[in-house]
Amino acid sequence: MVDAFGVTGVEGAFRAACITTMGVMRREKEALISVLKTFVHDPLVEWSKPDKRSHGSRHVNKAQEIMKAIEKKLNGQIGKNAHAKLPISTEGQVQKLIHDSTDLNNISQMYIGWAPFY
């Protein structure tokens, strides 16, 4: 996929577009969060596998956990201990996203063709 970006790969126009997009998302995070919060209580959205014993509160809790994770990422707090970390710059967050998305370990977990039985 990176080869499709041309000679510069992820270092050219792609990175610049990612930085611009992340900057806009951070600046307009209130609007983005307000749109996403409508899905928390949407009865048509399933947040987890259906459970006959659950009365919906578990689904709302899962949705709220996801919303908190999105808010932290929009604030530049990434990682397992995002609440304890200082926010990173937009450029740093884009670098981390590009690194994670091009990491062969992550790609191998996503693509079934790399499974050992092939």
Side-chain angles (χ1 to χ4, degrees), residues 64-88:
Q64 289 172 343
E65 287 176 26
I66 292 170
M67 288 301 300
K68 286 179 185 176
I70 291 171
E71 287 181 49
K72 286 180 181 178
K73 288 179 182 180
L74 286 173
N75 289 327
Q77 299 170 324
I78 57 176
K80 293 183 181 180
N81 295 325
H83 64 281
K85 291 186 177 181
L86 293 174
I88 62 173

Side-chain angles (χ1 to χ4, degrees), residues 53 82 106 108 113-114:
R53 296 172 291 177
N106 292 338
S108 67
W114 287 11

Side-chain angles (χ1 to χ4, degrees), residues 29-112:
K29 65 183 163 197
E30 290 83 14
L32 184 58
I33 292 296
S34 68
V35 170
L36 292 175
K37 281 190 176 180
T38 61
F39 291 104
V40 171
H41 300 288
D42 188 352
L44 299 178
V45 176
E46 293 183 24
W47 291 97
S48 60
K49 293 181 182 178
D51 186 4
K52 294 178 183 178
R53 296 172 291 177
S54 175
H55 291 72
S57 64
R58 187 172 133 217
H59 298 294
V60 172
N61 290 339
K62 180 69 172 173
Q64 289 172 343
E65 287 176 26
I66 292 170
M67 288 301 300
K68 286 179 185 176
I70 291 171
E71 287 181 49
K72 286 180 181 178
K73 288 179 182 180
L74 286 173
N75 289 327
Q77 299 170 324
I78 57 176
K80 293 183 181 180
N81 295 325
H83 64 281
K85 291 186 177 181
L86 293 174
I88 62 173
S89 67
T90 303
E91 293 82 6
Q93 189 171 9
V94 168
Q95 173 61 32
K96 174 95 170 102
L97 288 170
I98 290 173
H99 177 268
D100 288 349
S101 62
T102 56
D103 183 18
L104 291 180
N105 291 326
N106 292 338
I107 294 171
S108 67
Q109 292 176 10
M110 180 182 74
Y111 181 58
I112 193 150

